[in-house]
Amino acid sequence: MQTIFSGIQPSGTLTLGNYLGALQQFVELQDEYDCYFCIVDEHAITVPQDRLALRKNIKSLAALYLASGIDPNKVTLFIQSEVTEHVQLAWILQSISYVGELERMTQYKDKSQGKEAVSSALLTYPSLMAADILLYNTNVVPVGDDQKQHLELTRNLAQRFNHRFNDIFTIPEIRIPKVGARIMSLQDPTKKMSKSDTNQKGYISMLDEPKQIEKKIKSAVTDSEGIVQFDKENKPGVSNLLTIYSVCTGESIESIEEKYAGKGYGDFKQGTADAVINVLVPIQEKYNELIDSEELDVILDKGADKASFTAGKTLKKAKKAVGLGRVR
Ligand code: TYM
């Protein structure tokens, strides 16, 4: 069985973009692959976090993974900082990462732009991400479109390491969903939907109430044509809503276009809101049952143990290849 690894940052409540671009595919893949899904809290602290909010978000993300349909009997679900091998391998990979290539990462450029004090961890973020993936001999990494560049770098680092030291790492493949890989902001459909958006109307949180979801979709930016048609370049707002509708219902974009032919955006937006609500409400119900349960801790403890076991073996090989420590 091939191995999958993916991670999500606990840096706020997840958005519909995180769900459609990542979580939804995780659920589909869990039957066919040996899956490791991680709450990457060490990545989250590359930008300032409130201590209590971070703790809360870590638990909340664990509950959201499960509420979305992740089955802890099939996958290994764990918290990154509870498996210390991640930072240890990250350090080794930093020693073969070049400052120039790290500075070229668009996420680094976006997050550091205009800031006076940028942490060095923000720069070395991709080396930690590479460590996450390479520790588990990962074959496939399911992610949204925005992680493409980080995955390319992971592959380069793995090849560089294998070439320079010893052939240890599996070179991972990226897996991006055909539709929904880049859900855009509802207020500015040329920007991706992001949980760090200062305008809350730009994103739908997975825990938004149905009324809020409806309100946000109704005020989504479209155009004045009144034609429900997919045309990313000229109609980015409508195209984004069509994508959301299609991924939430499984209906093809063409059939949605047909359904709303001759009708205005009002009907179409209502249909989109209903589609999103139908997906999110059952997840929210399960989330509320799980969030304060002890079951969550048992699952995360078990996940950390299992992840540590595999990660420990890879780290040992990597240290030996590099020449760290003693031979024993
Ligand atoms: P993060 O936490 O920003 O996002 C988690 C996942 O959600 C996807 N995503 C989206 N997909 C579609 N439309 C959007 N608007 C949208 N916004 C986010 C992301 O592509 C991602 O798949 N660096 C990663 C976390 C990470 C990781 C890893 C991922 C750390 N280590 C190892 C894979 C493997 C990140 O910041 O994701």
Side-chain angles (χ1 to χ4, degrees), residues 42 81 135 163 198 209 216 222 282 294 299 312 322:
E42 286 163 339
S81 65
L135 277 172
H163 187 246
T198 43
E209 300 206 345
K216 286 182 182 177
T222 47
E294 282 172 19
I299 291 167
V322 174

Side-chain angles (χ1 to χ4, degrees), residues 84-105:
T84 55
E85 284 82 359
H86 287 248
V87 281
Q88 295 186 62
L89 183 62
W91 184 257
I92 295 175
L93 293 175
Q94 275 183 58
S95 75
I96 62 160
S97 305
Y98 305 127
V99 173
E101 65 191 351
L102 295 171
E103 279 174 342
R104 275 197 297 277
M105 295 291 117

Side-chain angles (χ1 to χ4, degrees), residues 8-12 14 39-41 44 49 53-54 57-58 61 195:
I8 302 181
Q9 294 193 64
S11 50
L14 298 201
I39 296 160
V40 291
D41 55 348
Q49 298 286 342
L54 179 60
N57 287 334
I58 290 170
L61 178 50
K195 53 196 166 208

Side-chain angles (χ1 to χ4, degrees), residues 7 9 17-18 21 43 125 129 132 143-144 146-147 181 183 193 195:
Q9 294 193 64
N18 294 126
H43 277 100
Y125 180 113
M129 182 160 160
D132 298 341
V143 279
D146 61 339
Q147 296 301 315
I183 301 295
M193 182 181 283
K195 53 196 166 208

